[in-house]
Amino acid sequence: METKIFQSEELDYAAKLLKNGELVAFPTETVYGLGADALLPESVKQVFQVKGRPSDNPLIVHVADFEMTKPFVEKYHPLTEKIVQYFWPGPLTLIFPIKKNSLSPIVTGGLSTAAFRMPDNKKTLELIQKTEAPLVGPSANTSGKPSPTTAEHVFHDLKGKIAGILDDGATQIGVESTVLDLSGETPVILRPGAVTKEKLEKVLQTKIFLDKHLVKESETPKAPGMKYKHYAPDTPVLMVGDEDWDQAIKWGQKNRKRMALLAGPSIAAKYQVADRYVFMDDTVEAATHGLYSGLRALDEADGSDVILAQVFTENELGAAYMNRLKKAAAQNYFDKN
């Protein structure tokens, strides 16, 4: 199969492919998604096959507006209107209880809930409108590997496997959306993202809980990305605390490790290692934006035994960055002891 790169003027053709059951990757402000018509179960099955994704992993349903959720949702949480008004379109996925048989079990992972999002990308919103159906859109990459933040990343992973990729350059945020579970009385964040716990609490004037439970391989996750190991390159990753860099570098040299470095410019300037990916600046925003690109670049360089990665405090956007980095590193920190 030839995988075509689509530009804005080819949206009609991309939508036609989706209507016909083909797969088309699309851009969002977070990462690129692998699109299929959410109402065509056979197309959705192809998403799992192409990604090599476990079929118990539920998919996020991408909509062009809030009205598109109404044929599926059984009951909305009382805070829904305020949340949608303030955060949609944007990097926030909402989980609701759904009407029986309104979505295929292959979309929901067999659960009685489903996840919905309105992405903040004009091209993709227009694509959904032209398709006249919501689109599933897990990250457009090989399952478990770093998510794609450019069309080139998608092409690298899925060329020859999907019909096309709608190109809109690099994504703005760089990690997947926040997932907020609204299926119970209390809102719970299942996956942190750019819409932080602090932002939600400020807008909603209520306590938001963060579920830190890591789903085992035998469990069915309620949202994507909840497994212990995820977003991981083939090269092992070790997280390095701010005070541990000297010892981590000495450890690598002593054990003749070929080290790669994933960090901001202040840390990178201190250490000369073979491969490096330096974030644009020392902020957590720059680190979040560059995390997946960095993991991919260092892994593809194929010259390292280990990737040493910078950590950040787990609050605000740092919670999202660390959530992805911990899973990429399989929870492993450099142990100075």
Side-chain angles (χ1 to χ4, degrees), residues 18-23 35-44 107 131-136:
L18 287 163
K19 287 181 178 182
N20 290 337
E22 301 285 353
L23 306 187
D37 187 327
L39 305 184
L40 300 177
E42 291 303 314
S43 298
V44 178
V107 174
T131 306
E132 300 177 312
L135 303 179
V136 298

Side-chain angles (χ1 to χ4, degrees), residues 181-249:
D181 187 0
L182 293 177
S183 63
E185 290 184 16
T186 305
V188 179
I189 294 174
L190 300 185
R191 182 179 72 185
V195 175
T196 64
K197 178 178 183 290
E198 292 82 359
K199 286 180 182 177
L200 285 164
E201 289 179 340
K202 183 177 180 180
V203 170
L204 302 176
Q205 294 295 298
T206 188
K207 180 72 174 174
I208 302 293
F209 293 91
L210 179 60
D211 184 355
K212 295 187 178 180
H213 171 62
L214 288 170
V215 176
K216 297 177 182 177
E217 292 304 317
S218 59
E219 294 181 77
T220 299
K222 202 170 186 180
M226 294 181 73
K227 297 285 187 179
Y228 278 92
K229 189 175 182 182
H230 209 74
Y231 319 115
D234 291 329
T235 308
V237 178
L238 278 179
M239 297 177 283
V240 182
D242 290 343
E243 307 301 319
D244 297 334
W245 278 97
D246 283 346
Q247 288 173 284
I249 297 296

Side-chain angles (χ1 to χ4, degrees), residues 25-279:
F26 57 80
T28 76
E29 74 280 30
T30 58
V31 300
Y32 274 71
L34 179 53
D37 187 327
L39 305 184
L40 300 177
E42 291 303 314
S43 298
V44 178
K45 284 180 184 177
Q46 289 182 52
V47 170
F48 287 94
Q49 292 165 1
V50 165
K51 281 179 62 67
R53 179 187 177 105
S55 59
D56 68 346
N57 215 343
L59 300 174
I60 293 173
V61 178
H62 292 69
V63 296
D65 52 46
F66 180 66
E67 286 294 313
M68 286 188 80
T69 69
K70 291 184 176 179
F72 313 106
V73 176
E74 177 69 35
K75 182 182 179 183
Y76 292 103
H77 191 279
L79 290 171
T80 300
E81 185 177 352
K82 191 171 186 179
I83 292 170
V84 168
Q85 185 177 26
Y86 197 89
F87 292 107
W88 275 19
L92 179 63
T93 294
L94 303 176
I95 293 179
F96 300 112
I98 57 169
K99 298 171 184 175
K100 191 173 182 180
N101 299 324
S102 63
L103 285 168
S104 168
I106 197 164
V107 174
T108 65
L111 300 173
S112 60
T113 58
F116 297 88
R117 174 161 114 81
M118 182 182 176
D120 190 10
N121 183 283
K122 290 181 180 179
K123 287 185 181 180
T124 290
L125 292 178
E126 189 176 348
L127 178 65
I128 297 170
Q129 289 168 342
K130 288 179 178 293
T131 306
E132 300 177 312
L135 303 179
V136 298
S139 56
N141 61 310
T142 304
S143 187
K145 299 303 178 185
S147 298
T149 56
T150 67
E152 289 78 12
H153 292 163
V154 181
F155 193 79
H156 175 274
D157 283 17
L158 303 182
K159 63 181 176 182
K161 298 180 180 179
I162 64 175
I165 305 163
L166 178 59
D167 189 2
D168 195 30
T171 62
Q172 299 152 307
I173 295 171
V175 297
E176 297 81 358
S177 61
T178 304
V179 176
L180 183 66
D181 187 0
L182 293 177
S183 63
E185 290 184 16
T186 305
V188 179
I189 294 174
L190 300 185
R191 182 179 72 185
V195 175
T196 64
K197 178 178 183 290
E198 292 82 359
K199 286 180 182 177
L200 285 164
E201 289 179 340
K202 183 177 180 180
V203 170
L204 302 176
Q205 294 295 298
T206 188
K207 180 72 174 174
I208 302 293
F209 293 91
L210 179 60
D211 184 355
K212 295 187 178 180
H213 171 62
L214 288 170
V215 176
K216 297 177 182 177
E217 292 304 317
S218 59
E219 294 181 77
T220 299
K222 202 170 186 180
M226 294 181 73
K227 297 285 187 179
Y228 278 92
K229 189 175 182 182
H230 209 74
Y231 319 115
D234 291 329
T235 308
V237 178
L238 278 179
M239 297 177 283
V240 182
D242 290 343
E243 307 301 319
D244 297 334
W245 278 97
D246 283 346
Q247 288 173 284
I249 297 296
K250 289 176 182 176
W251 164 83
Q253 292 170 338
K254 180 181 178 181
N255 290 279
R256 297 185 178 180
K257 298 282 187 183
R258 295 174 300 170
M259 294 175 284
L261 184 144
L262 180 65
S266 292
I267 290 173
K270 297 177 183 177
Y271 306 105
Q272 300 303 313
V273 296
D275 291 318
R276 56 181 51 224
Y277 186 96
V278 183
F279 302 136

